[in-house]
Each structure stands twice: as C-alpha cells, then as structure tokens.
Amino acid sequence: MRIDLVAVIVDEYDPAIAFFTGVLGFELVEDSPSLTNDGRPKRWVVVRPPGAQTGLLLARADGERQAAAVGDQVAGRVGFFLRVDDFDAAYRRMTEAGVTFVRGPRAEPYGRVAVFLDIAGNRWDLLGLSATVPHAC
C-alpha cells in the first residue's frame, strides 16, 4: 500500500506545471484531457519529483469553494515537504528562480529547513540534511 497522489488545487494548469517542473524540477508524468463529474472539460495533470512514487495531481479550482482553497489547502500550515539531497544548491536555485521563502534556512535536529510558497501560495518545507546530522527517516 502507498499514497499515489495528493491533490493541489491551483488557479490554472499551465502556470502550475511550469512552476513544479521548471522551478522545482519535478517531472510531468501526465497531462490528459478529462471531464468533470457533470461532463465539463478539465485536465488530469500529474507531476512528481524525479524517482519519487508519490505525485501531485494539479487540480484546477472548480467553483467558488475550491477557488477559496487555492493557496490555503492546509489552513496556513506547512502541508507539503520537499526533501532534497543538496539543500544549499536547491535553496540557491529556487531563490534565483523567484520562489518566495517566508522563512529562511535554519538548523533543526533533523537537518536544514526553509519554508517556501508554491505557485498557489501553499506553504512547503524545503528539507535537507546537515553535514553533521545523520538521516533519521
């Protein structure tokens, strides 16, 4: 058993794809035409970090309730966690690409962490191991 996909509600597909693939370095796994439950066109868009099993379903907001959730899927908390092998390189690349960091890098017992916003405004932890902290997961 495993978690296959986690939905992230976005305003529009193409800017979200560009952010996750171009800025974060995810792979575009699928971008297929689909239909809503009531027959309107939509897309089935899946991105995932290279080598990862779990992906993100980029779901365009449909209706006022979903539009209100864009960027606030977990009520302002950090709800997504991106672990990288080279924290400094990832932080530098993301900063140069214009990613908004709401908390800069800091050391924690489990490694280094910085909090950034995705294209929708959701909070993510960028996680990387410190040279002095063994991997505990």
Side-chain angles (χ1 to χ4, degrees), residues 46-132:
V46 176
V47 296
R48 109 176 118 223
Q53 289 187 346
T54 303
L56 298 178
L57 173 67
L58 302 180
R60 186 180 63 199
D62 185 18
E64 289 180 28
R65 183 174 180 200
Q66 290 181 21
V70 171
D72 196 28
Q73 290 195 194
V74 292
R77 294 184 59 110
V78 171
F80 305 94
F81 303 84
L82 181 62
R83 183 167 299 280
V84 295
D85 292 330
D86 187 336
F87 181 90
D88 292 327
Y91 181 77
R92 184 175 46 257
R93 183 178 47 78
M94 291 168 66
T95 300
E96 289 170 358
V99 172
T100 300
F101 280 87
V102 295
R103 271 191 234 124
R106 68 182 191 278
E108 293 292 342
Y110 49 83
R112 298 189 59 207
V113 62
V115 180
F116 70 94
L117 302 178
D118 68 17
I119 190 168
N122 296 299
R123 290 175 181 255
W124 289 64
D125 270 357
L126 175 65
L127 300 166
L129 296 179
S130 166
T132 59

Side-chain angles (χ1 to χ4, degrees), residues 5-75:
L5 297 172
V6 175
V8 174
I9 304 169
V10 297
D11 286 319
E12 293 295 335
Y13 296 113
D14 292 329
I17 292 169
F19 176 83
F20 284 99
T21 61
V23 175
L24 296 188
F26 287 25
E27 298 171 339
L28 179 61
V29 176
E30 185 173 359
D31 185 355
S32 303
S34 189
L35 297 174
T36 62
N37 290 336
D38 60 0
R40 291 175 290 119
K42 69 174 187 177
R43 288 161 61 185
W44 184 262
V45 178
V46 176
V47 296
R48 109 176 118 223
Q53 289 187 346
T54 303
L56 298 178
L57 173 67
L58 302 180
R60 186 180 63 199
D62 185 18
E64 289 180 28
R65 183 174 180 200
Q66 290 181 21
V70 171
D72 196 28
Q73 290 195 194
V74 292

